[in-house]
Amino acid sequence: MANEKIPYKIYLSEEEMPRDWYNVRADMKNKPAPLLNPGTGEPMGFEDLRPVFCDELIRQELDDTTKNIPIPQEIRDFYKMYRPSPLVRAYCLEEKLQTPAKIYYKFEGNNTSGSHKLNSAIAQAYYAKKQGLKGVTTETGAGQWGTALSMACAYLDLDCKVYMVKVSYEQKPFRREVMRTYGASVTPSPSMETEIGKKILAEHPGTTGSLGCAISEAVEKATGTPGYRYVLGSVLNQVLLHQSVIGLEAKAAMDKYGIVPDVIIGCAGGGSNLGGLISPFMGEKLRGERDYRIIAVEPASCPSFTRGRFAYDFCDTGMVCPLAKMYTLGSGFIPSANHAGGLRYHGMSSTLSQLYHDGYMEATSVEQTRVFEAAEQFARVEGILPAPESSHAIRVAIDEALKCKETGEEKTILFGLTGTGYFDMVAYEKFHNGEMTDYIPTDAELEESFAHLPKVPGQE
Amino acid sequence: MANEKIPYKIYLSEEEMPRDWYNVRADMKNKPAPLLNPGTGEPMGFEDLRPVFCDELIRQELDDTTKNIPIPQEIRDFYKMYRPSPLVRAYCLEEKLQTPAKIYYKFEGNNTSGSHKLNSAIAQAYYAKKQGLKGVTTETGAGQWGTALSMACAYLDLDCKVYMVKVSYEQKPFRREVMRTYGASVTPSPSMETEIGKKILAEHPGTTGSLGCAISEAVEKATGTPGYRYVLGSVLNQVLLHQSVIGLEAKAAMDKYGIVPDVIIGCAGGGSNLGGLISPFMGEKLRGERDYRIIAVEPASCPSFTRGRFAYDFCDTGMVCPLAKMYTLGSGFIPSANHAGGLRYHGMSSTLSQLYHDGYMEATSVEQTRVFEAAEQFARVEGILPAPESSHAIRVAIDEALKCKETGEEKTILFGLTGTGYFDMVAYEKFHNGEMTDYIPTDAELEESFAHLPKVPGQE
């Protein structure tokens, strides 16, 4: 099965692991637009952001010129607990598909958080600890980010307060218990603990919550509690910076064996995995050194890249966060109730949005029944039960490999397998029972949502 | 954190991975006692076992002289999907405990079945396929073995029929869905599909099932369906043989860096993990080359080694299986209802039973609240959410490390971390909520159970 020279799974040695994160913004001619104060419409600087974020993380957020940022030794030590993650040649999938394509995936699920989220969680917790803070607050939807942050905080002995979207809190009690195992306090959102939570509950008594609402609560809690700051698991520039470790490892492993991907595929919700996976490849592309085809895959039910507007928008429902310029469906957009899994945020990383706007990458959307077909096919031959999120990338990787079968091209495909689906068996069960459905928002629904985009100078 | 020379996690290269399984019975002076026909009391030979098991697996079951048995290339290829498993130095746990002991664990949970069970599942499925069979049947309790077998069968395109203990089927719907993802059919046991199932349901209409009963159903189904055989995930000699890959990898990794364990610790239910982990070390001990302290850890609620009888007993409730000589609590023994997790089989591997009887290993039992304390402590510092089963070994490893703290000894401890606890969050939740209780069977309860041991010539 395995090639004699190239291992079936490539693990870097400790010496080969990245010592710096790579900041793709340094190589971008058109930098991502700055965050704006939602009240004044003015760009937010270091001091403006200090009540919300840790100092060092703000510096990383605002730094669009330093190319390589050293990974502190303590974080590299933590990374050793679960990194390097393997780069795997999908021999069995190739054989099943009878494709001449060579398929590789970077698997980030071999840690208890079950996903790549831990890469940024430990970094953010580390800087909070270093600043002498007592704790951090955050929101979580499906629960992967909350789990990752809980693990990082347990390791560093930092308090962790998670606002979990109420519908997930109730439907995913096991995720909640994993977080509790790591000592986090988990509150269903909206809650009566915050003003914004009370307000939303008063207006919508039966609401099951949303990510945007949980963000508002977490930010309010952090800014109102001495010694606390807010942390976020995706979307932000700093998160993409930390997640660059995925792409750096993948590229180092490929370089070591002379493998060059033709196509790089990642699922995209807020953009943390995709941004991390593609970063060093995108760097080469931006510097004109090498070309790669890069594809973002999003759910057809939450299509921010493929059907959203490139505009300044609110990051949260409560409108307490800065405005970000991004591809967005409008901050009031919530995917239809039959949408399973994550990738449900209304917006997209500003960095990726700018790169997409400038033509450096493609985007495509897929319906979830086709996603779960791919997930099951992958699980059966590759032995890993993939998360629904990751399976968006699997779907498109399979589709690309099947195109190669038609044309006879021996393309090399790299995709990001962000995590495992152990906590998503309700969705798998629906799929097995033929009860899973698809929904694509209508143009009219999106127009209605776009109507609430904020008025910002220079934005129509 | 990590030593400069010894990696934090040791992964063998493909060239360093074992090419043979190691058959510890070849080095035993007192061989494990043969299986007996429950009707005649006569030892069972190849032909007697053919209706139940695959031919090649019977040969392995009966072979107590061949020391090294080559691992077929196809199985080695499959192993590459998730092996080698890492040997990890528990630096963070050591630091937390402030112990001079060096703690290593061999982590078998990095595959979708979530445990070491896959090592034998692929072997058994492979030999079934090679024999031209259509499918296999088995039982599963907590679901790890059923999941592993489903994965192996999906890979080899073999039909897989799982009888799942009814209480688990109902309480662990997610495990069931993982098996369905891999195409297995899963039936709650006892069922109306078999004569023994019907009989048990007639006698005990409200029963929630037991492992012994599910075994009977699976054996009946296999022997009554052309092209099918029965496979078992623990207890049998063949399973210990396949699981020797755990110990062989661990020993190769330790030898590579000159590490010699003083104490080797494994949890023990039927004995598959423990037997596999210790095998090459036990081999050295049996040959008088080196001494190791070896500790089996079992639940205080199901204490076959520490409080059982070394006697021939039924392997199943329906009494359709051969009799095995083993440490047993009696085939009617079922752990109290508050027992969480696996390690609930009434008996123990014949091979391990003989070794224990001959003084080559120790055994100890632990109560589950202390087990979950250890599990949580481990999860918080080592970042892996352990299975309840594995946590029995963690408990004793921690206890041994704390003894070293008292004495100042720098012992090297190796334990088996058999799997992950993602599907055991109900038990974790009980523990978090202070609702978990312990139960130790009384002497009178065990005496009552021993009274039903079969009459076998030479057995009092």
Side-chain angles (χ1 to χ4, degrees):
Chain A
M1 186 163 71
N3 183 302
E4 278 303 297
K5 285 178 197 162
I6 302 178
Y8 177 62
K9 290 190 285 190
I10 307 176
Y11 282 104
L12 298 179
S13 70
E14 286 183 16
E15 297 70 41
E16 294 165 332
M17 281 171 66
R19 291 167 178 262
D20 302 317
W21 288 306
Y22 166 62
N23 182 5
V24 73
R25 288 166 289 160
D27 280 317
M28 290 168 69
K29 273 179 215 150
N30 300 328
K31 307 290 184 191
L35 297 170
L36 298 186
N37 183 312
T40 65
E42 292 297 311
M44 295 187 84
F46 182 76
E47 287 301 331
D48 303 313
L49 293 165
R50 288 191 77 189
V52 181
F53 298 117
C54 306
D55 292 355
E56 190 57 34
L57 291 167
I58 301 171
R59 288 187 197 103
Q60 293 181 354
E61 190 65 27
L62 300 176
D63 184 348
D64 57 13
T65 54
T66 310
K67 197 176 282 195
N68 298 306
I69 295 181
I71 308 174
Q73 185 61 46
E74 293 87 343
I75 298 176
R76 289 173 53 205
D77 282 345
F78 186 90
Y79 278 172
K80 286 180 197 166
M81 274 178 30
Y82 67 103
R83 308 203 69 82
S85 73
L87 179 74
V88 188
R89 173 81 182 265
Y91 284 103
C92 301
L93 181 61
E94 291 171 19
E95 198 181 308
K96 188 79 179 177
L97 299 174
Q98 291 287 305
T99 174
K102 296 179 184 69
I103 307 175
Y104 291 87
Y105 56 91
K106 180 74 170 163
F107 179 44
E108 293 288 317
N110 270 351
N111 69 75
T112 285
S113 82
S115 81
H116 67 291
K117 296 280 184 182
L118 196 52
N119 300 329
S120 184
I122 185 60
Q124 297 192 47
Y126 167 78
Y127 290 117
K129 184 76 179 178
K130 208 178 161 200
Q131 194 174 323
L133 298 175
K134 284 187 214 159
V136 291
T137 72
T138 199
E139 77 295 327
T140 200
Q144 289 183 329
W145 167 247
T147 307
L149 189 67
S150 306
M151 288 178 65
C153 288
Y155 181 80
L156 294 169
D157 204 15
L158 205 60
D159 189 39
C160 180
K161 175 104 192 126
V162 181
Y163 290 88
M164 188 171 186
V165 177
K166 190 179 277 175
V167 61
S168 293
Y169 183 90
E170 286 162 2
Q171 288 181 356
K172 295 199 167 186
F174 296 167
R175 273 279 186 206
R176 184 184 73 209
E177 290 307 320
V178 178
M179 289 184 257
R180 287 180 75 197
T181 301
Y182 288 97
S185 81
V186 187
T187 306
S189 168
S191 76
M192 294 299 282
E193 286 184 8
T194 64
E195 293 309 314
I196 188 74
K198 286 179 200 163
K199 183 162 172 271
I200 291 171
L201 283 171
E203 287 170 12
H204 311 279
T207 182
T208 53
S210 74
L211 213 47
C213 167
I215 293 174
S216 302
E217 287 204 87
V219 172
E220 183 187 319
K221 185 75 178 179
T223 52
T225 314
Y228 281 70
R229 292 293 186 282
Y230 167 73
V231 296
L232 178 64
S234 190
V235 184
L236 296 174
N237 296 325
Q238 57 187 269
V239 178
L240 265 69
L241 176 71
H242 306 148
Q243 295 294 0
S244 69
V245 70
I246 305 172
L248 291 165
E249 277 186 13
K251 187 154 194 314
M254 294 188 124
D255 285 349
K256 188 173 171 178
Y257 292 97
I259 308 160
V260 181
D262 298 294
V263 191
I264 304 166
I265 301 166
C267 62
S272 71
N273 156 67
L274 178 69
L277 175 68
I278 66 174
S279 61
F281 303 99
M282 182 60 84
E284 288 189 328
K285 190 164 176 168
L286 287 165
R287 297 190 300 271
E289 294 164 8
R290 189 166 237 155
D291 198 20
Y292 301 98
R293 195 173 157 219
I294 295 173
I295 310 175
V297 189
E298 56 187 17
S301 50
C302 192
S304 40
F305 264 143
T306 49
R307 296 176 68 200
R309 293 267 174 87
F310 187 44
Y312 268 106
D313 196 7
F314 300 106
C315 290
D316 64 327
T317 309
M319 305 178 188
V320 296
C321 289
L323 299 178
K325 188 168 183 190
M326 54 187 179
Y327 278 85
T328 178
L329 298 165
S331 63
F333 182 86
I334 296 178
S336 59
N338 64 349
H339 174 91
L343 310 181
R344 50 172 65 239
Y345 187 62
H346 67 274
M348 180 60 70
S349 146
S350 289
T351 300
L352 292 183
S353 292
Q354 189 64 49
L355 289 166
Y356 178 62
H357 186 71
D358 292 344
Y360 288 101
M361 50 191 276
E362 305 168 27
T364 187
S365 73
V366 285
E367 296 181 37
Q368 66 182 0
T369 49
R370 289 197 69 236
V371 166
F372 275 81
E373 274 169 27
E376 189 164 279
Q377 186 169 20
F378 181 83
R380 291 190 183 181
V381 292
E382 290 292 321
I384 294 170
L385 186 82
E389 298 80 17
S390 326
S391 305
H392 287 71
I394 297 174
R395 175 73 270 164
V396 173
I398 290 176
D399 290 346
E400 289 294 321
L402 290 174
K403 279 185 211 161
C404 289
K405 190 177 174 178
E406 300 264 315
T407 62
E409 287 173 290
E410 294 184 19
K411 281 187 185 167
T412 297
I413 298 169
L414 166 65
F415 73 89
L417 189 70
T418 58
T420 49
Y422 303 120
F423 294 97
D424 299 284
M425 295 319 295
V426 170
Y428 272 96
E429 183 174 12
K430 277 199 179 138
F431 175 70
H432 297 149
N433 293 343
E435 294 160 3
M436 180 172 278
T437 52
D438 294 312
Y439 184 76
I440 302 177
T442 64
D443 288 341
E445 282 168 326
L446 292 184
E447 286 302 325
E448 158 64 21
S449 186
F450 294 144
H452 301 284
L453 287 172
K455 302 284 173 252
V456 173
Q459 181 163 304
E460 55 175 305
Chain B
M1 186 161 69
N3 182 302
E4 277 303 296
K5 284 176 196 164
I6 302 178
Y8 177 63
K9 290 190 286 191
I10 307 177
Y11 282 106
L12 299 178
S13 69
E14 285 183 16
E15 296 70 40
E16 294 165 330
M17 283 171 66
R19 292 169 176 262
D20 301 316
W21 289 305
Y22 166 63
N23 182 6
V24 74
R25 287 166 289 160
D27 281 316
M28 290 169 70
K29 272 179 216 151
N30 299 328
K31 307 290 184 190
L35 297 170
L36 298 186
N37 183 312
T40 64
E42 293 295 313
M44 295 187 83
F46 182 76
E47 287 301 330
D48 302 314
L49 293 165
R50 289 190 76 188
V52 181
F53 298 117
C54 306
D55 292 355
E56 190 57 33
L57 291 167
I58 300 172
R59 286 187 197 104
Q60 294 181 353
E61 190 65 27
L62 299 176
D63 183 348
D64 57 14
T65 54
T66 310
K67 197 177 282 195
N68 298 306
I69 296 180
I71 309 174
Q73 184 61 47
E74 292 86 344
I75 297 176
R76 289 172 54 206
D77 284 344
F78 185 89
Y79 278 171
K80 288 181 197 165
M81 272 178 32
Y82 67 102
R83 306 202 72 80
S85 72
L87 179 74
V88 188
R89 172 84 182 265
Y91 283 103
C92 301
L93 181 62
E94 291 170 19
E95 198 182 306
K96 188 81 180 174
L97 300 174
Q98 291 288 303
T99 176
K102 296 179 185 70
I103 308 174
Y104 291 86
Y105 56 91
K106 180 73 170 164
F107 179 44
E108 292 288 318
N110 270 351
N111 69 75
T112 285
S113 82
S115 81
H116 66 293
K117 296 280 183 182
L118 197 52
N119 300 329
S120 184
I122 185 61
Q124 296 192 48
Y126 167 78
Y127 291 117
K129 185 74 181 181
K130 208 177 161 202
Q131 195 175 321
L133 298 175
K134 282 187 215 160
V136 291
T137 71
T138 198
E139 77 295 329
T140 201
Q144 289 183 327
W145 167 248
T147 308
L149 189 67
S150 305
M151 288 177 65
C153 288
Y155 181 79
L156 293 169
D157 203 14
L158 204 60
D159 189 38
C160 181
K161 173 104 192 129
V162 181
Y163 290 88
M164 187 171 187
V165 177
K166 191 180 276 176
V167 62
S168 293
Y169 183 90
E170 284 162 3
Q171 288 181 357
K172 296 200 166 186
F174 296 167
R175 273 279 186 208
R176 185 185 72 210
E177 289 307 320
V178 178
M179 289 184 256
R180 286 180 75 198
T181 302
Y182 287 98
S185 81
V186 187
T187 305
S189 167
S191 77
M192 295 299 281
E193 286 184 7
T194 64
E195 293 309 313
I196 188 75
K198 285 179 201 164
K199 183 161 171 272
I200 291 170
L201 282 171
E203 287 170 11
H204 312 278
T207 182
T208 53
S210 74
L211 213 45
C213 166
I215 293 174
S216 302
E217 288 205 85
V219 172
E220 182 186 320
K221 185 74 177 182
T223 52
T225 314
Y228 281 71
R229 291 296 185 281
Y230 167 72
V231 296
L232 179 63
S234 191
V235 184
L236 296 175
N237 296 325
Q238 59 187 266
V239 178
L240 264 69
L241 175 72
H242 307 147
Q243 295 294 359
S244 69
V245 71
I246 304 173
L248 291 165
E249 278 187 12
K251 188 155 192 314
M254 294 189 123
D255 285 350
K256 187 173 173 180
Y257 292 97
I259 308 161
V260 181
D262 298 294
V263 191
I264 304 167
I265 301 165
C267 61
S272 71
N273 155 66
L274 179 70
L277 175 68
I278 66 174
S279 61
F281 303 99
M282 182 60 85
E284 288 190 327
K285 191 164 176 169
L286 287 165
R287 296 190 301 270
E289 295 165 7
R290 189 166 237 156
D291 198 20
Y292 301 97
R293 197 175 154 219
I294 295 173
I295 309 175
V297 190
E298 57 187 17
S301 50
C302 192
S304 42
F305 265 143
T306 50
R307 297 177 67 201
R309 293 267 174 88
F310 186 43
Y312 268 105
D313 195 8
F314 300 105
C315 290
D316 64 327
T317 309
M319 305 178 188
V320 297
C321 290
L323 299 178
K325 188 168 183 191
M326 55 187 177
Y327 279 85
T328 177
L329 298 165
S331 63
F333 182 85
I334 297 178
S336 59
N338 65 349
H339 174 92
L343 310 182
R344 49 171 66 239
Y345 187 61
H346 67 276
M348 180 61 68
S349 145
S350 289
T351 299
L352 292 183
S353 293
Q354 189 65 49
L355 289 166
Y356 178 62
H357 186 71
D358 291 344
Y360 287 102
M361 50 191 275
E362 305 167 29
T364 188
S365 73
V366 286
E367 295 181 38
Q368 66 182 359
T369 50
R370 290 196 69 236
V371 166
F372 276 82
E373 274 169 26
E376 190 165 277
Q377 186 170 19
F378 181 84
R380 289 189 185 183
V381 292
E382 289 292 321
I384 294 170
L385 185 82
E389 298 80 19
S390 325
S391 305
H392 287 70
I394 298 175
R395 173 73 271 165
V396 173
I398 289 177
D399 290 346
E400 289 294 321
L402 290 174
K403 279 184 211 161
C404 289
K405 190 177 173 178
E406 300 265 317
T407 61
E409 289 173 291
E410 293 184 20
K411 282 187 183 166
T412 297
I413 297 169
L414 166 64
F415 73 89
L417 188 70
T418 58
T420 48
Y422 303 119
F423 293 97
D424 299 285
M425 296 319 296
V426 170
Y428 271 95
E429 183 174 10
K430 276 197 179 140
F431 174 70
H432 296 149
N433 294 342
E435 294 161 3
M436 180 172 278
T437 53
D438 294 312
Y439 183 76
I440 302 177
T442 64
D443 287 341
E445 282 167 326
L446 293 184
E447 286 303 325
E448 158 64 21
S449 187
F450 294 146
H452 301 285
L453 287 173
K455 303 284 173 252
V456 174
Q459 181 162 304
E460 54 177 302

